[in-house]
Amino acid sequence: MILSKHTMNVLKNFSTINPNFIIEPGNRLATVSNSKNIFVEAYVEEEFPFEFVFYDLTDFLTNFSLFDNPDIEFTESQIYIRENNNVATFGCGEKDVVFNSNNNAKVLDYIRERKDKIEDIYTQFSLSESYISQLKKRGNIMNGSHLVIEGKNGKLSTIITKPSEPNTNKFITEICDTDKEFSISIKLDNIKLIPENYEVYIAKSKGGNACFFVAKGVELRYLVSFH
């Protein structure tokens, strides 16, 4: 099996959300942060043959980076990464150890069962790939901690700012027209998106208020909860 560039990007992204990770048979990949406020799922072109548990997904990706374009073989207990005369092996973790540690006991069930329907939509809008690519950089430059999404005076805007400091710097982007009056605030640290074009839904879900980021070009979506 050769892992596509998209699948590798998904795995790298997942490792920033939770290093504990399980691949299940099939082509659905999903993970959730330990605090359960970020959930993401993707469907990829590869069909994985076995369940495989990673103690630390980042460790696997570091091993993978030693190769240019390796072949991956999955068994029930090992992953073999092969290229030319070189082979790296990576052992399967113990599921009970990985998913019952660090107050993480229910994460596995959460990953398997959670397939949120986007319902009770309050408003929706689009964000471009270039906007997502620049989001973290702009946050760092502006010393911003949150992304505020605001409907005001007929315009929907995003504001990178630090709400705890009213006089701080702000980076404002006018997105589209809106007939809604609202303001929500999401920590930038919780917006861990692969750069794509997204349709964004502000909605209610079973767990409370949530912002759904649904990629337009690939089967990839994030749920980020907010108060």
Side-chain angles (χ1 to χ4, degrees), residues 41-59:
E41 68 175 349
Y43 289 85
V44 296
E45 61 187 76
E46 297 85 355
E47 288 279 342
F48 296 98
F50 301 107
E51 176 182 273
F52 200 90
V53 179
F54 295 86
Y55 285 117
D56 188 340
L57 181 57
T58 305
D59 192 20

Side-chain angles (χ1 to χ4, degrees), residues 74-89:
F74 281 84
T75 71
E76 293 183 353
S77 60
Q78 295 279 335
I79 291 178
Y80 296 90
I81 308 173
R82 293 189 174 96
E83 187 174 45
N84 300 323
N85 296 324
N86 300 308
V87 180
T89 64

Side-chain angles (χ1 to χ4, degrees), residues 12-202:
K12 290 173 184 176
N13 178 249
F14 281 19
S15 72
T16 69
I17 295 169
N18 192 338
N20 300 143
F21 181 64
I22 183 168
I23 285 178
E24 298 195 286
N27 70 331
R28 177 181 181 256
L29 301 177
T31 194
V32 61
S33 62
N34 284 328
S35 57
K36 300 184 182 66
N37 61 343
I38 308 169
F39 175 80
V40 56
E41 68 175 349
Y43 289 85
V44 296
E45 61 187 76
E46 297 85 355
E47 288 279 342
F48 296 98
F50 301 107
E51 176 182 273
F52 200 90
V53 179
F54 295 86
Y55 285 117
D56 188 340
L57 181 57
T58 305
D59 192 20
F60 167 76
L61 294 171
T62 301
N63 276 272
F64 191 92
S65 70
L66 298 173
F67 300 85
D68 293 321
N69 190 33
D71 181 76
I72 307 295
E73 179 187 352
F74 281 84
T75 71
E76 293 183 353
S77 60
Q78 295 279 335
I79 291 178
Y80 296 90
I81 308 173
R82 293 189 174 96
E83 187 174 45
N84 300 323
N85 296 324
N86 300 308
V87 180
T89 64
F90 200 86
C92 182
E94 296 181 29
K95 183 166 54 180
D96 290 343
V97 173
V98 172
F99 289 99
N100 287 319
S101 62
N102 301 322
N103 298 315
N104 217 11
K106 295 182 179 179
V107 166
L108 183 57
D109 287 340
Y110 191 102
I111 291 169
R112 287 177 167 167
E113 296 175 6
R114 184 150 198 172
K115 291 178 180 290
D116 295 86
K117 293 182 180 179
I118 303 175
E119 54 190 17
D120 297 325
I121 298 170
Y122 182 73
T123 192
Q124 70 183 83
F125 56 96
S126 297
L127 290 179
S128 69
E129 181 176 350
S130 61
Y131 179 94
I132 299 300
S133 297
Q134 292 294 315
L135 186 58
K136 184 176 181 181
K137 180 179 179 180
R138 288 171 178 167
N140 289 336
I141 291 173
M142 303 302 292
N143 195 30
S145 61
H146 287 69
L147 177 69
V148 174
I149 304 172
E150 180 179 85
K152 186 176 181 180
N153 299 327
K155 297 295 181 181
L156 188 149
S157 302
T158 61
I159 306 165
I160 298 171
T161 186
K162 185 178 289 186
S164 61
E165 298 179 11
N167 294 323
T168 191
N169 299 331
K170 296 180 180 180
F171 190 97
I172 303 169
T173 304
E174 188 176 289
I175 302 297
C176 61
D177 294 335
T178 184
D179 60 355
K180 306 291 187 181
E181 293 280 330
F182 69 97
S183 181
I184 68 168
S185 181
I186 305 172
K187 288 183 178 180
L188 283 171
D189 285 346
N190 291 339
I191 304 177
K192 300 176 182 289
L193 307 179
I194 295 174
E196 295 283 351
N197 295 312
Y198 288 92
E199 193 68 13
V200 184
Y201 302 85
I202 298 174

